[in-house]
Amino acid sequence: MENVIAGIDFAAPSDQVAQQLIGTLLLVNGVGGRIVETEAYDRLDPASHSYAGPTARNAAMFGAPGHAYVYLSHGIHWCLNFVCREPGHGAGVLIRALEPLAGLDAMRQRRGVIDARQLCSGPGKLAQALGVSRAQNGASLALPPFALAPAAAPPPLVAGPRIGISKAVELPWRFGLAGSRFLSRPFR
DNA sequence: CTTAGGATCGCCT
DNA sequence: GGCGATCCTAAGC
């Protein structure tokens, strides 16, 4: 399988991929928008699900790059990650927020809210709006239902510490589109 | 605007 | 049996 999708080499380190993903168009069954917020996770990263090595849950993280890793958070919300690095490494990028551009009605129906800014401003919200769940775990990002398209131009980036973790808190591995109104939280 | 608590379940120790 | 890479609501300043 090809590691390059939408002009991004998913075999690269996750912090690089996380930055390159900002501005990328992400669609799931035609519903989605452009990615405005990501977080990188890596092996040897205490905050990463892959830190303790391969398990049943994180198996996709140790699979081929350019595939999805989907997990259930707090028994309630699904979260979507893109696998990076070479197979067996255990790295990924959490897709935290996107600017809704396609399938707004489907998103509103799934989310139960109307405001476009509340549709995909967080990893759990995003997965719900795009209809992502366990069914997509391990799926290739190069094939339906996924569709990725490169950003029109390299967007202005901001970086900061990751959100909602208790380990490796100081690592500046959260990336965002500068000035976007669709972030899960503003950058300090 | 900031903070606190509850919901809810699969995974790992 | 404990604990989240979360979200929503309610209450406090």
Side-chain angles (χ1 to χ4, degrees):
Chain A
M1 296 304 269
E2 184 52 73
N3 290 331
V4 178
I5 304 171
I8 296 174
D9 182 7
F10 282 87
S14 54
D15 59 320
Q16 292 183 22
V17 174
Q19 297 181 54
Q20 294 174 28
L21 279 170
I22 301 299
T24 298
L25 182 70
L26 164 64
L27 300 178
V28 180
N29 282 317
V31 177
R34 69 169 175 167
I35 298 170
V36 299
E37 184 181 339
T38 60
E39 279 180 1
Y41 290 88
D42 198 76
R43 193 79 202 278
L44 306 182
D45 169 9
S48 175
H49 286 176
S50 61
Y51 183 61
T55 66
R57 175 178 65 160
N58 66 23
M61 284 191 83
F62 291 90
H67 287 238
Y69 163 50
V70 182
Y71 70 92
L72 185 63
S73 178
H74 288 75
I76 301 174
H77 301 103
W78 296 101
C79 294
L80 172 65
N81 298 252
F82 293 171
V83 178
C84 301
R85 295 274 197 158
E86 70 278 7
H89 184 88
V93 174
L94 173 67
I95 311 302
R96 286 195 56 90
L98 62 75
E99 176 180 346
L101 293 176
L104 279 283
D105 290 338
M107 292 189 197
R108 291 192 174 100
Q109 191 141 14
R110 289 165 177 158
R111 291 271 304 123
V113 297
I114 306 212
D115 183 5
R117 293 175 61 169
Q118 293 187 13
L119 292 177
C120 300
S121 54
K125 300 179 189 177
L126 185 154
Q128 184 181 26
L130 270 54
V132 170
S133 70
R134 168 138 290 173
Q136 283 76 41
N137 189 36
S140 171
L141 302 174
L143 301 173
F146 289 104
L148 270 63
L157 298 184
V158 286
R162 295 174 290 184
I163 293 178
I165 56 174
S166 55
K167 303 160 190 166
V169 178
E170 66 288 348
L171 219 50
W173 275 8
R174 174 180 178 235
F175 303 99
L177 177 65
S180 173
R181 299 170 17 248
F182 298 92
L183 300 171
S184 66
R185 288 178 48 181
F187 281 78
R188 228 341 113 87

